[in-house]
Amino acid sequence: MKLVLFDCDGTLVDSAGLIHETMRRTFLAFDKPEPSFEETKAIIGLTLDIAIARMQGKQHADDEAVAMMAHYKSLFSVVRADLDFKEPLFPGIRELIDTIGPRDDLLIGAVTGKSRRGLDLVMSTHGFDKYFVVGRTADDCPSKPHPAMVTECCDVMGVKPADTLVIGDAIYDMQMAKAAGATAIGVDWGYCVVPELIAAGADHIVHHPRELLPLIG
């Protein structure tokens, strides 16, 4: 039995536009300089309070970052409705999940910096909740690259990290996977560049979701 853990933002769904617009409004509400799209993309995958702190050059989340996180969360659904932002699947993801989802020899899960509510919305919107049997979010664990999201999923499913694949688009995903003792697979259709994924410890790099099939086995 293998456990296959997917990151969400930048791996399963393209949520950068929605995240950036919500972040932009949050920074303006706190009289902060408006972040660039590239600055926003660079922190996708981190837990929100840490992401906001990093965007301001802080290593750790302080009270202001926590307050900004709360404001961001209050805006997220508003921005989604205002501008009809979607979180579309990347090309090939639906076909991949529909192929591996029904298999009896695989367990599928998600490890994400999203909130539990945000992950559940993505799963239900795209009909993946019937396939994903475990997940850890920013509400459950320390931020990536801490290995807890992976190790807790392994513990719940009774699968060793050595039999676990972590698939993601960010350096934090690769670092988290390696810290947990799992196989790290980087994808190049997300928000990071391949050399950074390799430097962060990626065991494999794929350029299309179908390339994951032989790696999953």
PDB file of all heavy atoms in Angstrom, residues 89-99 125-128:
ATOM      1  N   LEU A  89      -8.672  23.404 -11.864  1.00  0.00           N
ATOM      2  CA  LEU A  89      -7.668  22.351 -11.885  1.00  0.00           C
ATOM      3  C   LEU A  89      -6.651  22.636 -12.987  1.00  0.00           C
ATOM      4  O   LEU A  89      -6.996  23.158 -14.045  1.00  0.00           O
ATOM      5  CB  LEU A  89      -8.327  21.001 -12.163  1.00  0.00           C
ATOM      6  CG  LEU A  89      -9.332  20.484 -11.136  1.00  0.00           C
ATOM      7  CD1 LEU A  89      -9.987  19.221 -11.665  1.00  0.00           C
ATOM      8  CD2 LEU A  89      -8.676  20.234  -9.791  1.00  0.00           C
ATOM      9  N   PHE A  90      -5.409  22.286 -12.724  1.00  0.00           N
ATOM     10  CA  PHE A  90      -4.419  22.352 -13.788  1.00  0.00           C
ATOM     11  C   PHE A  90      -4.725  21.273 -14.825  1.00  0.00           C
ATOM     12  O   PHE A  90      -5.286  20.221 -14.495  1.00  0.00           O
ATOM     13  CB  PHE A  90      -3.010  22.147 -13.222  1.00  0.00           C
ATOM     14  CG  PHE A  90      -2.459  23.348 -12.505  1.00  0.00           C
ATOM     15  CD1 PHE A  90      -2.464  23.416 -11.120  1.00  0.00           C
ATOM     16  CD2 PHE A  90      -1.933  24.415 -13.227  1.00  0.00           C
ATOM     17  CE1 PHE A  90      -1.957  24.524 -10.456  1.00  0.00           C
ATOM     18  CE2 PHE A  90      -1.422  25.530 -12.572  1.00  0.00           C
ATOM     19  CZ  PHE A  90      -1.439  25.584 -11.191  1.00  0.00           C
ATOM     20  N   PRO A  91      -4.370  21.507 -16.082  1.00  0.00           N
ATOM     21  CA  PRO A  91      -4.630  20.511 -17.127  1.00  0.00           C
ATOM     22  C   PRO A  91      -4.030  19.156 -16.775  1.00  0.00           C
ATOM     23  O   PRO A  91      -2.868  19.064 -16.363  1.00  0.00           O
ATOM     24  CB  PRO A  91      -3.949  21.117 -18.364  1.00  0.00           C
ATOM     25  CG  PRO A  91      -3.968  22.592 -18.125  1.00  0.00           C
ATOM     26  CD  PRO A  91      -3.767  22.747 -16.639  1.00  0.00           C
ATOM     27  N   GLY A  92      -4.821  18.117 -16.931  1.00  0.00           N
ATOM     28  CA  GLY A  92      -4.360  16.761 -16.673  1.00  0.00           C
ATOM     29  C   GLY A  92      -4.599  16.255 -15.267  1.00  0.00           C
ATOM     30  O   GLY A  92      -4.501  15.044 -15.011  1.00  0.00           O
ATOM     31  N   ILE A  93      -4.928  17.148 -14.340  1.00  0.00           N
ATOM     32  CA  ILE A  93      -5.133  16.722 -12.948  1.00  0.00           C
ATOM     33  C   ILE A  93      -6.384  15.863 -12.803  1.00  0.00           C
ATOM     34  O   ILE A  93      -6.362  14.823 -12.129  1.00  0.00           O
ATOM     35  CB  ILE A  93      -5.192  17.938 -11.997  1.00  0.00           C
ATOM     36  CG1 ILE A  93      -3.799  18.570 -11.865  1.00  0.00           C
ATOM     37  CG2 ILE A  93      -5.735  17.527 -10.622  1.00  0.00           C
ATOM     38  CD1 ILE A  93      -2.762  17.690 -11.185  1.00  0.00           C
ATOM     39  N   ARG A  94      -7.486  16.266 -13.415  1.00  0.00           N
ATOM     40  CA  ARG A  94      -8.709  15.463 -13.281  1.00  0.00           C
ATOM     41  C   ARG A  94      -8.484  14.050 -13.805  1.00  0.00           C
ATOM     42  O   ARG A  94      -8.893  13.065 -13.170  1.00  0.00           O
ATOM     43  CB  ARG A  94      -9.878  16.114 -14.006  1.00  0.00           C
ATOM     44  CG  ARG A  94     -11.157  15.278 -13.917  1.00  0.00           C
ATOM     45  CD  ARG A  94     -12.394  16.010 -14.345  1.00  0.00           C
ATOM     46  NE  ARG A  94     -12.640  17.186 -13.526  1.00  0.00           N
ATOM     47  CZ  ARG A  94     -13.135  17.149 -12.291  1.00  0.00           C
ATOM     48  NH1 ARG A  94     -13.411  15.985 -11.706  1.00  0.00           N
ATOM     49  NH2 ARG A  94     -13.343  18.269 -11.632  1.00  0.00           N
ATOM     50  N   GLU A  95      -7.850  13.931 -14.961  1.00  0.00           N
ATOM     51  CA  GLU A  95      -7.611  12.616 -15.536  1.00  0.00           C
ATOM     52  C   GLU A  95      -6.725  11.772 -14.623  1.00  0.00           C
ATOM     53  O   GLU A  95      -6.947  10.559 -14.456  1.00  0.00           O
ATOM     54  CB  GLU A  95      -6.970  12.767 -16.912  1.00  0.00           C
ATOM     55  CG  GLU A  95      -7.872  13.380 -17.979  1.00  0.00           C
ATOM     56  CD  GLU A  95      -7.976  14.902 -17.907  1.00  0.00           C
ATOM     57  OE1 GLU A  95      -7.283  15.525 -17.055  1.00  0.00           O
ATOM     58  OE2 GLU A  95      -8.747  15.470 -18.704  1.00  0.00           O
ATOM     59  N   LEU A  96      -5.718  12.420 -14.017  1.00  0.00           N
ATOM     60  CA  LEU A  96      -4.840  11.699 -13.097  1.00  0.00           C
ATOM     61  C   LEU A  96      -5.606  11.178 -11.888  1.00  0.00           C
ATOM     62  O   LEU A  96      -5.509   9.991 -11.541  1.00  0.00           O
ATOM     63  CB  LEU A  96      -3.709  12.618 -12.631  1.00  0.00           C
ATOM     64  CG  LEU A  96      -2.823  12.045 -11.517  1.00  0.00           C
ATOM     65  CD1 LEU A  96      -1.978  10.887 -12.028  1.00  0.00           C
ATOM     66  CD2 LEU A  96      -1.954  13.134 -10.901  1.00  0.00           C
ATOM     67  N   ILE A  97      -6.367  12.054 -11.248  1.00  0.00           N
ATOM     68  CA  ILE A  97      -7.084  11.651 -10.032  1.00  0.00           C
ATOM     69  C   ILE A  97      -8.151  10.618 -10.352  1.00  0.00           C
ATOM     70  O   ILE A  97      -8.358   9.662  -9.589  1.00  0.00           O
ATOM     71  CB  ILE A  97      -7.695  12.877  -9.327  1.00  0.00           C
ATOM     72  CG1 ILE A  97      -6.599  13.879  -8.939  1.00  0.00           C
ATOM     73  CG2 ILE A  97      -8.481  12.445  -8.083  1.00  0.00           C
ATOM     74  CD1 ILE A  97      -5.517  13.322  -8.040  1.00  0.00           C
ATOM     75  N   ASP A  98      -8.821  10.762 -11.484  1.00  0.00           N
ATOM     76  CA  ASP A  98      -9.830   9.772 -11.877  1.00  0.00           C
ATOM     77  C   ASP A  98      -9.190   8.424 -12.190  1.00  0.00           C
ATOM     78  O   ASP A  98      -9.849   7.381 -12.093  1.00  0.00           O
ATOM     79  CB  ASP A  98     -10.618  10.258 -13.097  1.00  0.00           C
ATOM     80  CG  ASP A  98     -11.622  11.342 -12.753  1.00  0.00           C
ATOM     81  OD1 ASP A  98     -11.935  11.505 -11.552  1.00  0.00           O
ATOM     82  OD2 ASP A  98     -12.102  12.029 -13.678  1.00  0.00           O
ATOM     83  N   THR A  99      -7.905   8.428 -12.551  1.00  0.00           N
ATOM     84  CA  THR A  99      -7.199   7.177 -12.831  1.00  0.00           C
ATOM     85  C   THR A  99      -6.728   6.493 -11.558  1.00  0.00           C
ATOM     86  O   THR A  99      -6.911   5.274 -11.381  1.00  0.00           O
ATOM     87  CB  THR A  99      -5.982   7.435 -13.752  1.00  0.00           C
ATOM     88  OG1 THR A  99      -6.445   7.950 -14.996  1.00  0.00           O
ATOM     89  CG2 THR A  99      -5.203   6.153 -13.997  1.00  0.00           C
ATOM     90  N   THR A 125     -15.813  20.993  -4.694  1.00  0.00           N
ATOM     91  CA  THR A 125     -16.040  21.662  -5.969  1.00  0.00           C
ATOM     92  C   THR A 125     -15.658  20.770  -7.143  1.00  0.00           C
ATOM     93  O   THR A 125     -16.358  20.716  -8.158  1.00  0.00           O
ATOM     94  CB  THR A 125     -15.234  22.978  -6.050  1.00  0.00           C
ATOM     95  OG1 THR A 125     -15.719  23.874  -5.048  1.00  0.00           O
ATOM     96  CG2 THR A 125     -15.377  23.639  -7.415  1.00  0.00           C
ATOM     97  N   HIS A 126     -14.559  20.061  -6.992  1.00  0.00           N
ATOM     98  CA  HIS A 126     -14.048  19.259  -8.103  1.00  0.00           C
ATOM     99  C   HIS A 126     -14.394  17.769  -7.977  1.00  0.00           C
ATOM    100  O   HIS A 126     -13.950  16.959  -8.805  1.00  0.00           O
ATOM    101  CB  HIS A 126     -12.541  19.446  -8.228  1.00  0.00           C
ATOM    102  CG  HIS A 126     -12.154  20.853  -8.582  1.00  0.00           C
ATOM    103  ND1 HIS A 126     -12.459  21.415  -9.799  1.00  0.00           N
ATOM    104  CD2 HIS A 126     -11.520  21.823  -7.868  1.00  0.00           C
ATOM    105  CE1 HIS A 126     -12.013  22.658  -9.844  1.00  0.00           C
ATOM    106  NE2 HIS A 126     -11.450  22.938  -8.681  1.00  0.00           N
ATOM    107  N   GLY A 127     -15.178  17.417  -6.959  1.00  0.00           N
ATOM    108  CA  GLY A 127     -15.604  16.032  -6.817  1.00  0.00           C
ATOM    109  C   GLY A 127     -14.506  15.080  -6.389  1.00  0.00           C
ATOM    110  O   GLY A 127     -14.579  13.875  -6.650  1.00  0.00           O
ATOM    111  N   PHE A 128     -13.485  15.607  -5.707  1.00  0.00           N
ATOM    112  CA  PHE A 128     -12.367  14.769  -5.286  1.00  0.00           C
ATOM    113  C   PHE A 128     -12.552  14.195  -3.886  1.00  0.00           C
ATOM    114  O   PHE A 128     -11.752  13.356  -3.451  1.00  0.00           O
ATOM    115  CB  PHE A 128     -11.056  15.562  -5.326  1.00  0.00           C
ATOM    116  CG  PHE A 128     -10.529  15.822  -6.717  1.00  0.00           C
ATOM    117  CD1 PHE A 128      -9.467  16.695  -6.899  1.00  0.00           C
ATOM    118  CD2 PHE A 128     -11.084  15.207  -7.824  1.00  0.00           C
ATOM    119  CE1 PHE A 128      -8.958  16.934  -8.179  1.00  0.00           C
ATOM    120  CE2 PHE A 128     -10.599  15.441  -9.105  1.00  0.00           C
ATOM    121  CZ  PHE A 128      -9.522  16.312  -9.282  1.00  0.00           C
TER     122      PHE A 128
END
